[in-house]
């Protein structure tokens, strides 16, 4: 009974700030207040009519999509190599490719800024993209690695014996078997990129900005409910992503017995 | 398909090139510049500046204190929630809903979540209102700009990680082992502490490592909830790159942060390995 109460309180603690943000976005007042006073969607109109928000949103979405695609291109061959081959330095390679998961993003961002400055890769879209590629690749790699099983090899051999080319075999036999994992890894990667501040903040400018960095800059200096409205939209996007993952792979992994 | 060494080379070419060019080399550049003077001479002066100075140790102290406390609180709060989700919840759809609620904050930007706390923890925010209403305090407590405020925000952001790793470990505990313990006459508490808890220790460790490494390098949450009054290591490093433009000193701060993170991850996984050997030994 005590455990149940602690657990439910903890759960409430996890949900509360998100509820507050959504609540604040609906207030009729010009200042932040929770519970909201009056109910209005006018703050959403304010942000949808603000070209800088719309532009940042597009930058974030395109950046996250391209970084995710690039991460798949990088992680897929690495996952296949690590699952099917034994070679020297495999453990080191796997540690290297997964290390952005635990290393401070702010250090990776600073490093990329300093290094990029020498080759013109600074404060532009490609600079943002390579940084995001590095931090999202481990997410795709981690979901892909366990998906390559020995049974697949015999299926692939059968496909080759029946005359399919290597590429046809990959797309018709291998890919369908890893599709669910690939998609969920891709969603994790997309979201990780979409909500990143620590890395992007080094390479954004007033005209090339991502949504979280723009929010971060706004929140520190001025606050009005329009920020809550933008935040609520990102919460909505997150909820959609999670429901997609749940639908794809099922989130019932905590069931014990 | 995929059998020859040549194919292996092809498979590894792109990942290795990308990570060398955009991960290892940038970190190498930072390491070199942290060991250089402004005009490129080799020096340890940047590190001397950090390690000889009381202010830096104070910042490192705050960073560590926050990271250690948030790790402990995340484990202490995360374990009951994980237990509840795995062992107590009977209705499948409710568990599913709980897991979605648990993951939702992870999929939301640090900004959005910290922003929620900025509203909640303000002088006239809901937390102060509730505490005043309950008669627990006489006048509003200042949370924003204090370590307590940052701690609340950090725990909030990192808690789902411990719940997920501990929950995963709990779900895999073999029921027969617990039954055996009960059959042999151990009480519920004894069974928990000498059977269940040790079996979930790797989940606790894994979650703890994630939380610790993220807490020690956190930037957004402390920056937003500190109001500039509390400084952590990541904020100090960022300042050097964004406003002071001292890449040598900033580099040294970054490497310091990196070394602390890696040392702690190394230490914890060594502890975990030791624990695993212990279990086998017994």
């Amino acid at each position: 009974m005590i455990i149940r109460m602690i657990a439910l309180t903890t759960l409430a603690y996890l949900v509360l700030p998100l509820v507050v943000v959504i609540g604040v976005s609906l207030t009729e007042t010009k200042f932040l207040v929770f519970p909201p006073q009056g109910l209005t969607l006018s703050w959403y109109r304010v942000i949808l009519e603000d070209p800088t928000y719309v532009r940042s949103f597009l930058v974030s979405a395109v950046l996250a999509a391209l970084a995710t695609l690039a991460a798949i291109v990088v992680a897929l061959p690495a996952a296949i190599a690590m699952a099917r081959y034994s070679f020297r330095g495999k453990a080191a390679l796997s540690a290297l490719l997964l290390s952005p998961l635990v290393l401070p993003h702010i250090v990776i961002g600073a490093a990329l800024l300093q290094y990029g400055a020498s080759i013109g890769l600074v404060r532009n879209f490609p600079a943002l993209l390579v940084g995001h590629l590095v931090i999202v690749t481990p997410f795709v790699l981690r979901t892909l690695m366990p998906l390559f099983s020995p049974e697949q090899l015999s299926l692939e051999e059968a496909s080759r014996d029946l005359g399919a080319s290597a590429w046809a075999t990959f797309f018709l036999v291998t890919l369908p078997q890893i599709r669910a994992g690939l998609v969920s890894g891709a969603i994790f990667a997309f979201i990780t990129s979409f909500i990143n501040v620590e890395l992007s903040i080094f390479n954004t400018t007033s005209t090339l900005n991502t949504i979280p960095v723009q929010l971060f800059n706004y929140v520190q200096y001025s606050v009005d409910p329009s920020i809550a409205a933008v935040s609520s939209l990102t919460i909505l996007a997150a909820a959609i992503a999670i429901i997609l993952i749940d639908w794809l792979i099922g989130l019932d992994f905590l069931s014990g017995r | 398909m995929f059998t020859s060494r040549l194919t292996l080379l092809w498979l590894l070419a792109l990942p290795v090139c990308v990570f060398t060019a955009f991960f290892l080399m940038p970190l190498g550049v930072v390491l070199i510049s942290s060991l250089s003077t402004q005009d490129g001479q080799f020096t340890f002066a940047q590190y001397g500046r950090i390690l000889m100075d009381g202010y830096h140790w104070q910042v490192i102290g705050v960073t560590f204190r926050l990271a250690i406390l948030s790790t402990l609180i995340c484990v202490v709060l995360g374990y009951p929630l994980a237990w509840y989700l795995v062992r107590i919840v009977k209705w499948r759809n409710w568990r599913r809903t709980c897991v979605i609620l648990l993951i939702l904050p992870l999929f939301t930007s640090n900004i959005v979540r910290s922003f929620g706390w900025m509203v909640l923890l303000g002088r006239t925010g809901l937390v102060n209102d509730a505490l005043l209403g309950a008669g627990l305090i006489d006048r509003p407590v200042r949370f924003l700009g204090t370590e307590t405020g940052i701690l609340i925000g950090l725990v909030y952001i990192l808690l789902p990680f411990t719940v997920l790793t501990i929950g995963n470990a709990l779900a895999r505990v073999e029921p027969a082992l617990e039954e055996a313990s009960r059959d042999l006459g151990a009480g519920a508490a004894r069974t928990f502490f000498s059977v269940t808890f040790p079996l979930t220790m790797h989940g606790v460790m894994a979650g703890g490592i994630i939380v610790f490494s993220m807490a020690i390098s956190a930037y957004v949450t402390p920056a937003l909830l500190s109001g500039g009054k509390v400084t952590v290591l990541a904020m100090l490093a960022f300042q050097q790159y964004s406003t002071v433009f001292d890449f040598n000193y900033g580099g040294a701060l970054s490497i310091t942060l990196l070394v602390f993170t890696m040392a702690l991850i190394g230490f914890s996984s060594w502890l975990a390995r030791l624990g695993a050997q212990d279990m086998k030994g017994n």
Side-chain angles (χ1 to χ4, degrees):
Chain A
M1 206 59 223
I2 298 170
I3 292 175
R4 187 185 298 252
M5 268 175 59
I6 298 174
L8 289 177
T9 316
T10 311
L11 205 59
Y13 165 71
L14 283 172
V15 180
L16 187 64
L18 301 183
V19 174
V20 167
V21 169
I22 295 171
V24 168
S25 76
L26 299 172
T27 187
E28 280 175 5
T29 56
K30 284 208 161 31
F31 50 91
L32 304 175
V33 59
F34 187 85
Q37 294 173 8
L39 283 178
T40 174
L41 286 175
S42 62
W43 293 110
Y44 289 87
R45 209 178 59 224
V46 170
I47 55 163
L48 291 176
E49 284 170 357
D50 183 338
T52 60
Y53 273 128
V54 176
R55 196 171 51 203
S56 303
F57 188 85
L58 286 177
V59 169
S60 282
V62 172
L63 178 63
L66 288 180
T68 304
L69 281 179
I72 292 173
V73 173
V74 171
L76 193 57
I80 294 174
M82 282 194 267
R84 295 195 176 162
Y85 288 86
S86 57
F87 52 92
R88 214 160 352 119
K90 186 156 131 179
L93 181 69
S94 145
L96 169 70
L97 296 180
L98 292 173
S99 64
L101 283 177
V102 287
L103 295 187
H105 285 175
I106 203 123
V107 173
I108 302 176
L112 272 168
L113 175 76
Q114 198 176 345
Y115 168 76
S118 56
I119 53 171
L121 200 63
V122 64
R123 298 207 175 80
N124 50 29
F125 191 80
L128 284 172
L129 185 60
V130 293
H132 280 235
L133 169 61
V134 167
I135 61 158
V136 305
T137 298
F139 284 93
V140 183
L141 189 61
R142 208 176 44 175
T143 48
L144 280 182
M145 271 201 300
L147 296 178
F148 291 97
S149 61
E151 295 84 67
Q152 282 166 358
L153 279 175
S154 43
L155 281 175
E156 282 165 14
E157 269 164 33
S159 159
R160 296 302 299 275
D161 289 347
L162 292 169
S165 71
W167 287 105
T169 301
F170 177 75
F171 281 103
L172 296 174
V173 178
T174 317
L175 198 57
Q177 296 180 66
I178 59 166
R179 187 183 286 141
L182 186 62
V183 173
S184 73
I187 296 175
F188 272 109
F190 185 93
I191 289 291
T192 305
S193 161
F194 196 75
I195 67 178
N196 181 277
V197 176
E198 282 97 337
L199 198 67
S200 307
I201 199 165
F202 288 99
N203 277 313
T204 44
T205 64
S206 54
T207 47
L208 176 75
N209 216 344
T210 65
I211 259 300
V213 174
Q214 193 181 357
L215 277 176
F216 183 65
N217 293 336
Y218 270 44
V219 164
Q220 289 189 86
Y221 303 109
S222 64
V223 272
D224 69 55
S226 71
I227 293 170
V230 181
S231 303
S232 303
L233 288 181
T234 65
I235 296 172
L236 183 72
I240 292 172
I242 293 171
I243 290 166
L244 266 180
I245 293 182
D246 182 36
W247 178 64
L248 275 165
I249 55 170
L251 285 176
D252 203 26
F253 54 87
L254 289 183
S255 47
R257 43 194 76 172
Chain B
M1 201 185 186
F2 308 134
T3 39
S4 70
R5 289 273 123 180
L6 193 67
T7 333
L8 176 65
L9 213 62
W10 273 110
L11 288 170
L12 291 179
L14 185 65
V16 170
C17 287
V18 166
F19 268 69
T20 306
F22 301 120
F23 184 66
L24 286 181
M25 281 171 69
L27 287 178
V29 168
V30 172
L31 182 64
I32 291 168
S33 74
S34 76
L35 289 168
S36 317
T37 59
Q38 298 273 359
D39 32 283
Q41 299 291 313
F42 177 82
T43 177
F44 277 115
Q46 313 294 349
Y47 290 97
R49 196 172 154 192
I50 296 170
L51 299 175
M52 301 300 196
D53 178 66
Y55 173 67
H56 286 99
W57 281 108
Q58 189 221 323
V59 171
I60 292 170
V62 171
T63 311
F64 265 77
R65 190 157 60 235
L66 284 171
I68 291 169
L69 284 175
S70 27
T71 309
L72 288 177
I73 299 174
C74 280
V75 169
V76 169
L77 285 181
Y79 211 106
L81 182 52
W83 184 276
Y84 171 77
L85 291 175
V86 176
R87 295 288 173 86
I88 298 181
V89 175
K90 290 281 174 292
W91 191 37
R92 211 166 147 254
N93 282 330
W94 171 238
R95 185 187 302 120
R96 209 165 165 153
T97 313
C98 288
V99 172
I100 290 176
L101 290 178
L102 188 67
I103 298 178
L104 185 61
L106 285 184
F107 273 39
T108 321
S109 164
N110 280 350
I111 311 287
V112 173
R113 294 182 280 168
S114 303
F115 172 60
W117 282 109
M118 285 167 80
V119 178
L120 276 165
L121 294 175
R123 281 187 72 80
T124 56
L126 211 59
V127 173
N128 265 321
D129 281 356
L131 289 175
L132 282 169
L136 291 170
I137 50 172
D138 303 327
R139 53 202 155 91
V141 179
R142 201 170 65 104
F143 287 111
L144 297 175
T146 66
E147 284 184 36
T148 316
I150 300 178
L151 192 60
I152 294 176
L154 278 178
V155 167
Y156 170 68
I157 277 166
L158 300 171
L159 184 59
F161 292 108
T162 51
V163 180
L164 289 175
T165 53
I166 295 171
N168 253 323
L170 262 179
R172 281 173 201 178
V173 170
E174 194 64 55
L177 291 174
E178 287 171 338
E179 278 160 28
S181 161
R182 298 300 292 270
D183 289 349
L184 291 170
R190 176 105 200 266
T191 301
F192 175 77
F193 284 109
S194 41
V195 177
T196 319
F197 187 72
L199 286 172
T200 55
M201 199 55 204
H202 66 277
V204 174
M205 289 302 291
I209 293 172
I210 297 176
V211 169
F212 196 94
S213 64
M214 294 185 99
I216 206 160
S217 60
Y219 170 70
V220 170
T221 312
L224 286 180
L225 295 176
S226 72
K229 292 191 186 73
V230 182
T231 308
V232 297
L233 207 49
M235 288 161 75
L236 213 57
F238 181 69
Q239 267 168 18
Q240 294 306 316
Y241 282 93
S242 66
T243 48
V244 187
F245 298 109
D246 186 342
F247 282 11
N248 305 103
Y249 173 49
L253 283 167
S254 301
I255 296 293
T256 308
L257 186 57
L258 206 62
V259 167
F260 276 135
T261 315
M262 294 202 300
L264 266 140
I265 293 170
F267 177 68
S268 333
S269 38
W270 174 75
L271 262 184
R273 256 204 311 277
L274 213 68
Q277 274 166 10
D278 235 31
M279 297 271 292
K280 268 183 227 145
N282 284 344

